[in-house]
Amino acid sequence: MMNLKVMMFMFVVSVVLQVAYGQHHIRCLPNERDALLQFKAAIVDDYDMLSSWTTPDCCQWEGILCNNLTAHIIRLDLHGEVHYEYFYRNGYYGVSRRYISGEIHMSLTELRHLQYFNLSFNDFRETNIPEFLGSLTNLRYLDLSSCHFSGQIPTQISSLTHLKYLNLADNYYLDGSIPREIGNLSRLEYLDLSGNSFEGYIPSQLGNLSNLHQLYLGEGIVTSDEWLSNLTSLTHLSFNSISNFNSSPSWLRTIAKLPKLRELSLSECGLSDHFLLSFNPSNFNFSTSLSVLSLFENSFTQPMIFQWVSNTTSNLVELDLSWNLLKGEDLKCV
Ligand SMILES: *[C@@H]1O[C@H](CO)[C@@H](O)[C@H](O)[C@H]1NC(C)=O
Ligand SMILES: *[C@@H]1O[C@H](CO)[C@@H](O)[C@H](O)[C@H]1NC(C)=O
Ligand SMILES: *[C@@H]1O[C@H](CO)[C@@H](O)[C@H](O)[C@H]1NC(C)=O
Ligand SMILES: *[C@@H]1O[C@H](CO)[C@@H](O)[C@H](O)[C@H]1NC(C)=O
Ligand SMILES: *[C@@H]1O[C@H](CO)[C@@H](O)[C@H](O)[C@H]1NC(C)=O
Ligand SMILES: *[C@@H]1O[C@H](CO)[C@@H](O)[C@H](O)[C@H]1NC(C)=O
Ligand SMILES: *[C@@H]1O[C@H](CO)[C@@H](O)[C@H](O)[C@H]1NC(C)=O
């Protein structure tokens, strides 16, 4: 029990502080401000995204959120923007964009209380995902999607044991194999690694991520499907460009048994009529929870696929079969 005098004292101090600074005027900590200024100095900011980063109180800067009580920076939202409305200027067409580029300075490790870091849609072409991000161990959300990062995913990322959300999608140039250490991030609920250039096996350690709700994977080879059967909380699952899916029928059986799966995408996996029709609806069924099924860019030719889908699903709302070899128009039924 807290001593009454101590409580009174804390109350008085808090009232004095609120009067002195106004309720929302938490002052930025000098070491964290210095760290941000060092970060800014190494960034190329052609679109003035960090133009507000000049005043004394860094808690008021754009993209920054400080904790009410401790003043530590807890959120850093520096996402860029891409608008796919094409404009015409100086003789050519472009996409309207706003982003930062340059180098991500190590000074960010000073932000030890950071819980949310969003760097998506910026341009860090020809740089790797910094290994030092692994020291920001309070992170819950890390969004590095669409940043043009290249090279391998640093294994240091597995130190981020509080992560619930990890998005490395659409960097195009991330390569090597997916590190098995990602399987240590046991609190992950959302993992997106699609849209990259990974090679080799998808690590079975992903089967340890028992809290995953959404999993998006692309590029790679699958081995045993045993690990996937562990992920019973999955509601969203996507496998893109998995080259040997067609020769691994047990995968589809495992997927069909995921009890909460609502959205499934198996695109560019070279799936054939023969492959799907070999699953006889008399002993094969998707979970009744499945409402969106996407099978675009495969090799289906026979309209019988529609019958098969309707025989193996019971609550489907959306089916995407575009970019197949079915006769007639490309088909997307909603
Ligand atoms: C800041 O304080 C407000 C009001 O007391 C509260 O609603 C909010 O959740 C707090 N935010 C953080 C980040 O602590
Ligand atoms: C990061 O920013 C992008 C762009 O606004 C947004 O779509 C995305 O949801 C954000 N990520 C997180 C984890 O909030
Ligand atoms: C992370 O996983 C790897 C391999 O899956 C294991 O060898 C390592 O000990 C784990 N590291 C930590 C910090 O748990
Ligand atoms: C992770 O999964 C592997 C099998 O893929 C297993 O051998 C290992 O014990 C698991 N680690 C934890 C911490 O559950
Ligand atoms: C399934 O999850 C358990 C822990 O929940 C783990 O010990 C086991 O190794 C996992 N199996 C696979 C194949 O990943
Ligand atoms: C398919 O699912 C339905 C609804 O859950 C069920 O009635 C039926 O017996 C299942 N069929 C097979 C072959 O599993
Ligand atoms: C779908 O079910 C109908 C009625 O049971 C059956 O006649 C047909 O052969 C089935 N088609 C496929 C492709 O499973």
Side-chain angles (χ1 to χ4, degrees), residues 63-81:
I64 309 284
L65 183 70
C66 296
N67 180 297
N68 276 347
L69 305 172
T70 64
H72 285 297
I73 294 172
I74 52 174
R75 272 175 78 102
L76 194 50
D77 187 354
L78 301 178
H79 70 266
E81 278 161 32

Side-chain angles (χ1 to χ4, degrees), residues 164-167 187-193 206 209-217 228 231-238 260-263:
K164 287 165 39 173
Y165 178 105
L166 176 61
N167 192 346
R187 299 196 192 168
L188 272 189
E189 295 171 9
Y190 182 107
L191 176 62
D192 192 344
L193 301 175
L206 295 187
L209 303 177
S210 53
N211 292 311
L212 268 190
H213 294 280
Q214 304 196 31
L215 175 61
Y216 305 90
L217 295 171
L228 187 67
L231 303 185
T232 49
S233 299
L234 280 181
T235 58
H236 293 67
L237 176 63
S238 169
K260 296 183 181 158
L261 196 63
R262 294 204 303 267
E263 299 196 10

